[in-house]
Amino acid sequence: MDNSKRYERLLERYRNGDLDRRSFLGLIGAAGLAYGVQTPFARMAFAQDVSQVRFDGWGGVVSEAFRRYAFDPYTEATGITVVDGTFAGGDEYLAQVRSSREGEYNIAHLSGVFDYARYVNFGLDVELNLDNIPNMELVMDALTNAFRGITPDHLSAVPYNYGTTGLAYNRAYISDEEIREKGASILIAPEYEGKIGGWSDWRTRLWYAALQTGQSPNDIQDMEAAWDAIRAHRDLALKYWGSGAELMSLLAEEEIYVTEGWSGRIAALQEQGHDIGYYDPPSSFGWQECLFVIKGSPVEACEELLNFMLAPETSIAVAEGQNYPPALDGTKVDLGEKIPTLPAYDPSGTLEALTFADPTYWNGNEAEWSETFARVQRGF
């Protein structure tokens, strides 16, 4: 039986009351949305209840890729409008969500396990029905397991992409050999004073301080040595950058020669023809991002959108647009030609080469360490 006849029979059973809405959605799934074969069914399933879903993300190239490759095609296929917003920072957005009416915010593009744990701790999670998200079977277990470590009995998000915060350097001034020899310590090398950059994020600064002092980022024993390394970087750096656009500008204009940077942004610079190298030193900062469904949201409509976004055609197109590898397992899905060339890409599907932050360790120290970092920024 071809798909169109199969769906007609399912729709007939749904109309007759033989299938409830959840069973209907679970049977038809959403994978076929990418091919346009489910349009009338998705529209009927949600027409009476849901007209729009709100999605909030980081803005810039990420939002552009989502809108072009995911949201607009999803709306065309389902009739559900995706209203997308942006937020400048995770802390500000979380405060907005906590003070909002339940259901005002639906899906958030969060910074992986850090934010996942915080949202769960504030009781903002839901229980997703993974039967409605069959494309989750294509996602790397290594990414999903990180969230199950926080909520073993359920998931409130799906992993979507990953990357690293490694060392970015201008090859006109720093060779590949030098970056590998010095590693993270190049960010506190006196000979590059005034040509060093860094992200104004306390977690990143502490992570690299741990590497510079020979410590594990997930078990920093000598905190004073780490703070001293941060002070050394502060005094040598031209400035802290606050956005991906600023990072790219500083490197492209040669205002700085070396900084830690986000792998996708460096890939974009390389695509533009800039001779910027990228190197992940041992225990480089690996991270993942997720699509988190917030308490009070129309969960089934959100599940439909998540499954559509995880469909290989959609997920790969978004990944190519924003230069971060998708959460899809490359041993299960043909990811095309570009994605295997991206910085941070792991062909094994295990991510064993990457080091991820322990959310319990880092979130548990957030209040003290973020406050101390603020003082260090001011010169103390």
Side-chain angles (χ1 to χ4, degrees):
M1 181 184 300
D2 63 31
N3 283 335
S4 61
K5 291 182 179 179
R6 174 175 177 268
Y7 292 140
E8 286 174 5
R9 290 188 60 180
L10 287 173
L11 182 58
E12 182 73 21
R13 292 176 62 193
Y14 177 71
R15 285 171 170 163
N16 293 337
D18 297 331
L19 288 175
D20 61 23
R21 178 174 162 183
R22 179 172 292 273
S23 298
F24 174 69
L25 289 171
L27 285 169
I28 68 170
L33 280 172
Y35 303 97
V37 297
Q38 297 180 38
T39 302
F41 314 109
R43 282 180 177 158
M44 171 166 283
F46 295 131
Q48 296 180 349
D49 302 320
V50 181
S51 61
Q52 68 179 37
V53 170
R54 174 166 176 159
F55 182 101
D56 292 288
W58 299 101
V61 295
V62 177
S63 284
E64 292 170 7
F66 278 144
R67 170 58 58 193
R68 179 177 179 183
Y69 298 113
F71 300 156
D72 287 347
Y74 173 79
T75 298
E76 182 178 353
T78 66
I80 301 173
T81 300
V82 181
V83 178
D84 59 324
T86 61
F87 48 86
D91 292 339
E92 294 88 343
Y93 180 73
L94 176 57
Q96 291 173 5
V97 172
R98 293 185 65 198
S99 63
S100 69
R101 301 187 311 275
E102 188 171 292
E104 184 176 349
Y105 294 90
N106 302 145
I107 302 176
H109 187 193
L110 301 182
S111 295
V113 291
F114 280 132
D115 284 341
Y116 187 86
R118 291 203 296 173
Y119 277 62
V120 168
N121 289 340
F122 283 119
L124 296 171
D125 55 316
V126 301
E127 182 173 349
L128 296 176
N129 179 0
L130 299 187
D131 288 341
N132 289 342
I133 316 176
N135 284 323
M136 273 289 288
E137 296 180 2
L138 305 177
V139 172
M140 286 182 281
D141 290 337
L143 292 175
T144 305
N145 290 342
F147 299 111
R148 291 197 182 280
I150 298 168
T151 53
D153 298 329
H154 70 281
L155 289 176
S156 188
V158 300
Y160 201 68
N161 53 26
Y162 66 97
T164 57
T165 303
L167 295 171
Y169 56 100
N170 190 316
R171 286 196 174 102
Y173 305 97
I174 299 173
S175 68
D176 296 345
E177 292 74 22
E178 182 180 4
I179 204 78
R180 283 166 174 74
E181 177 186 347
K182 294 181 177 177
S185 294
I186 200 168
L187 295 177
I188 52 174
E191 60 267 33
Y192 292 113
E193 181 176 2
K195 290 297 183 180
I196 296 171
W199 187 22
S200 57
D201 167 65
W202 67 269
R203 292 185 183 90
T204 303
R205 297 270 54 84
L206 263 177
W207 189 282
Y208 267 86
L211 300 185
Q212 289 155 358
T213 55
Q215 303 187 71
S216 166
N218 283 318
D219 185 23
I220 304 173
Q221 295 295 312
D222 190 343
M223 286 302 303
E224 193 54 44
W227 291 120
D228 284 344
I230 291 175
R231 293 185 182 97
H233 176 269
R234 175 201 65 194
D235 295 341
L236 292 168
L238 172 68
K239 66 179 300 184
Y240 289 139
W241 47 268
S243 69
E246 187 178 14
L247 161 67
M248 293 175 69
S249 176
L250 288 169
L251 285 168
E253 299 299 326
E254 298 188 5
E255 292 184 61
I256 60 174
Y257 298 161
V258 65
T259 179
E260 80 283 333
W262 304 328
S263 55
R265 290 295 184 143
I266 306 309
L269 279 172
Q270 293 168 345
E271 284 184 341
Q272 294 170 10
H274 298 284
D275 193 15
I276 304 298
Y278 188 80
Y279 173 62
D280 277 315
S283 296
S284 180
F285 197 167
W287 45 264
Q288 58 170 298
E289 294 180 329
C290 68
L291 308 180
F292 188 98
V293 179
I294 300 169
K295 183 180 179 181
S297 297
V299 175
E300 290 175 346
C302 291
E303 290 167 345
E304 186 87 351
L305 176 56
L306 295 181
N307 195 54
F308 178 75
M309 294 178 73
L310 286 173
E313 294 79 7
T314 306
S315 188
I316 291 170
V318 171
E320 291 179 344
Q322 63 176 342
N323 288 311
Y324 291 111
L328 303 181
D329 188 336
T331 67
K332 299 178 180 178
V333 180
D334 181 357
L335 299 178
E337 296 181 359
K338 178 179 178 178
I339 289 171
T341 70
L342 294 175
Y345 174 70
D346 181 0
S348 73
T350 65
L351 300 179
E352 291 179 352
L354 303 184
T355 303
F356 294 96
D358 178 345
T360 301
Y361 177 70
W362 284 86
N363 286 348
N365 289 291
E366 177 177 4
E368 177 186 351
W369 290 352
S370 60
E371 181 180 342
T372 302
F373 178 66
R375 293 200 303 270
V376 170
Q377 278 187 303
R378 295 194 298 268
F380 294 100

